[in-house]
Amino acid sequence: MRLRVLMEPRHGSSYDDIVTLALATERAGFDAFFRSDHLLGVDPGDPDYRPTDCWTTLAGLARDTERVRLGSLVTAATFREPGLLATIVATVDQMSGGRVELGIGTGWYAREHAAFGLGFPPTRDRFDRFSEQLAIISGLWSTQAGNGAGYSFSGTHHRIDANHTPPRVVQTPHPPIIIGGTGPKRTPAIAARYADEFNAALGGDIRERYAVFARACEAIGRDPDEPRRSAVLPVACGATAAEAERRGAVIGSEFIRTEAAIGSPELVTERIRDLGEAGADTVYLHIYDIQDLDHIALLGAEVLPHVPGAALERIGESP
């Protein structure tokens, strides 16, 4: 089981906030630090929200952290053209020494796109564009420099014309691609073709979601046991009931609160074990109060050691 921290700042963040939380994550022994790729919060009228660009900050973290893996959950495919995104992710992979992962989805937040002048096509078109983008990103990463023909792609929405100098990644064969969601058809079919990890997202029956994904893999002749399976768990952990409730209040959204593990380290550990029994081998602990470093320390000290295989060497401690 891999345990990871997923930052979802309720009111946005500065880079100083992000790097401080990432370093706390690394010190606590977690496997990875991920961030969302959003330019607005859930409340689009929140005057305190501070947007930051996901991949710019991940590039900074690539240099400011030592061990922890880094990624997005998830990047909106509508934000960046695929050739540019392939190059950005490859650059962060180089900067981090091969520690980056790309979580990517169709994009869903219409108001966010309008607020920043980004196109937001209808759902069908977004899925079509998403599939083409994954073909391009994986195609560019798998094309060897100096290949005589280069890499070309001609689709309905995107075109690449004989790229002879594709972006170079450090990881072999490429940085892991994470795809997930609750859709019953197109999402699992696209994930079966391109994902190294399938994320079951929040809500519903994740066993069934994993089963649908497995069937999508089998339909194209892929071993369904090859890709990893992950889940997101909003967390508000406390040494006391009052502390847990205080942290739970920060989550805000009632839907997310109903899905969250709000309570003692034992309760959080049990919820992680439940996800493991449902098929998850990776759990992202969704953190909302990014200034609460004691929360990360508590999870690292009282939850990580009780999840088999999850605890890693803490930075700054003896092996």
Side-chain angles (χ1 to χ4, degrees):
M1 174 70 75
R2 300 182 302 180
L3 284 190
R4 300 176 154 192
V5 168
L6 169 60
M7 181 193 80
E8 184 71 56
R10 188 173 176 189
H11 298 295
S13 57
S14 67
Y15 181 71
D16 286 344
D17 294 328
I18 297 168
V19 69
T20 300
L21 188 64
L23 290 172
T25 297
E26 189 164 68
R27 285 194 302 271
F30 287 96
D31 168 74
F33 177 82
F34 274 58
R35 61 155 294 169
S36 59
D37 192 355
H38 281 299
L39 299 169
L40 282 184
V42 174
D43 176 5
D46 178 4
D48 296 323
Y49 193 85
R50 296 169 295 166
T52 52
D53 176 70
C54 174
W55 285 96
T56 303
T57 58
L58 289 173
L61 295 179
R63 308 304 291 177
D64 288 340
T65 59
E66 298 177 32
R67 172 195 55 76
V68 73
R69 294 188 65 79
L70 303 165
S72 60
L73 204 65
V74 295
T75 283
T78 47
F79 280 7
R80 304 165 188 86
E81 289 295 313
L84 177 61
L85 181 59
T87 304
I88 290 170
V89 177
T91 303
V92 181
D93 198 40
Q94 295 166 20
M95 293 172 69
S96 67
R99 291 185 286 132
V100 76
E101 304 188 14
L102 171 62
I104 186 168
T106 60
W108 61 271
Y109 197 173
R111 176 66 190 122
E112 176 178 54
H113 289 72
F116 285 86
L118 301 170
F120 190 70
T123 301
R124 182 187 295 273
D125 285 353
R126 293 203 310 278
F127 270 100
D128 291 342
R129 290 170 182 268
F130 181 44
S131 184
E132 289 187 11
Q133 288 192 333
L134 287 162
I136 290 170
I137 291 167
S138 58
L140 285 170
W141 284 348
S142 62
T143 298
Q144 296 296 314
N147 180 307
Y151 176 76
S152 296
F153 180 91
S154 181
T156 303
H157 302 283
H158 298 287
R159 180 181 176 86
I160 299 289
D161 185 10
N163 186 321
H164 295 281
T165 57
R168 296 165 174 81
V169 295
V170 173
Q171 297 178 77
T172 303
H174 56 72
I177 294 173
I178 306 163
I179 300 171
T182 60
K185 294 181 179 180
R186 296 202 68 180
T187 295
I190 293 171
R193 188 167 299 278
Y194 295 107
D196 300 288
E197 175 184 320
F198 176 74
N199 185 275
L202 276 175
D205 184 348
I206 71 166
R207 290 179 188 269
E208 176 59 21
R209 217 161 281 155
Y210 292 147
V212 170
F213 172 64
R215 290 194 291 270
C217 288
E218 291 167 350
I220 62 170
R222 183 180 186 186
D223 180 355
D225 292 329
E226 176 195 344
R228 303 195 73 125
R229 287 161 170 75
S230 60
V232 174
L233 180 64
V235 168
C237 185
T240 65
E243 186 175 71
E245 193 56 37
R246 172 177 61 79
R247 287 177 172 142
V250 177
I251 293 175
S253 163
E254 193 56 38
F255 165 72
I256 295 176
R257 281 177 58 84
T258 62
E259 299 294 329
I262 302 174
S264 66
E266 292 78 15
L267 180 144
V268 173
T269 302
E270 188 61 33
R271 287 289 303 277
I272 293 168
R273 288 175 179 161
D274 290 344
L275 291 170
E277 290 175 1
D281 59 43
T282 302
V283 175
Y284 294 84
L285 303 181
H286 214 176
I287 303 297
Y288 291 83
D289 185 348
I290 64 174
Q291 270 83 36
D292 190 352
L293 303 184
D294 289 341
H295 194 193
I296 303 299
L298 177 65
L299 291 165
E302 301 297 335
V303 174
L304 268 175
H306 302 289
V307 178
L312 301 177
E313 178 186 342
R314 290 167 170 79
I315 294 295
E317 293 187 5
S318 299

